[in-house]
Amino acid sequence: MTTSPTVSLSSQMPGERVALRLRLDTSFQSGPLDGAWWPQSRDLQVEAADLVDHFPDLIGRIERLLFSRPDWDAVSGAPSMHRIHAARGRVKVGSFPSDDTHVMIVKMSSGQRLRLLVVPSDTEPGLASRVMQQAADDRNTESPSTLLGLSGPDQSHIGDAVWDDHAASHA
């Protein structure tokens, strides 16, 4: 079963926010991804807070996020981010220096982990829609890099392999 909470693909005015652009496969049983998220910018604090605050209540509450650094803009000289501040409260976040998976691992309060493809914010709406649909299809076997049309080694295994070590060291 695929759910698509208000996916808005309309053009937006600068500074104007649209509804959360998220597509999920709620069977969460197979494939390299559980869905896709198309953030509106490369600002991790703003976009992760939007994800946390507007994530479908029927799926659960987000407890932690593990992100791929190349998907987000870094603030020069700023300390690395360990928490984001959302209306629903603070949420722990983490990343790995060598991670270039284009995936956001979402740990729910139930303990369930979801792997969301992060579609670059500047992606053309038609392409973003197709990529999100494929990522949320439980029959999808393509890696995140392949779905995004990127070349290079598949690193989709990195996030899961090191999540527990990272979470334990930053708990």
Side-chain angles (χ1 to χ4, degrees):
M1 172 183 171
T2 299
T3 181
S4 181
T6 313
V7 175
S8 174
L9 300 177
S10 63
S11 59
Q12 67 188 78
M13 301 295 290
E16 181 182 325
R17 301 288 299 175
V18 297
L20 183 65
R21 301 182 297 191
L22 178 70
R23 187 161 225 154
L24 298 171
D25 168 24
T26 55
S27 66
F28 307 124
Q29 294 178 355
S30 63
L33 297 164
D34 299 305
W37 173 42
W38 184 24
Q40 298 172 52
S41 75
R42 291 180 50 89
D43 184 328
L44 180 63
Q45 170 59 49
V46 170
E47 300 303 332
D50 187 40
L51 180 66
V52 168
D53 290 339
H54 297 103
F55 200 80
D57 289 331
L58 292 174
I59 306 297
R61 185 176 172 94
I62 295 175
E63 182 177 280
R64 291 182 184 204
L65 299 170
L66 182 61
F67 63 94
S68 176
R69 284 187 187 185
D71 294 330
W72 308 101
D73 289 334
V75 178
S76 180
S80 63
M81 189 178 299
H82 296 288
R83 287 186 172 70
I84 59 106
H85 302 278
R88 288 188 177 180
R90 293 191 310 183
V91 174
K92 290 182 180 182
V93 297
S95 70
F96 299 96
S98 64
D99 179 18
D100 191 13
T101 59
H102 306 288
V103 170
M104 174 75 74
I105 298 176
V106 179
K107 183 178 179 203
M108 308 304 295
S109 57
S110 66
Q112 180 179 27
R113 292 183 191 151
L114 307 179
R115 296 176 54 85
L116 301 178
L117 172 70
V118 177
V119 178
S121 59
D122 61 354
T123 303
E124 183 271 322
L127 177 59
S129 179
R130 288 188 300 277
V131 168
M132 291 175 73
Q133 183 174 359
Q134 188 172 355
D137 187 330
D138 63 353
R139 298 166 295 180
N140 173 53
T141 58
E142 300 292 337
S143 72
S145 293
T146 301
L147 287 173
L148 293 173
L150 304 172
S151 61
D154 178 16
Q155 297 184 21
S156 60
H157 64 283
I158 291 175
D160 285 335
V162 292
W163 175 273
D164 292 325
D165 291 338
H166 179 75
S169 68
H170 287 84

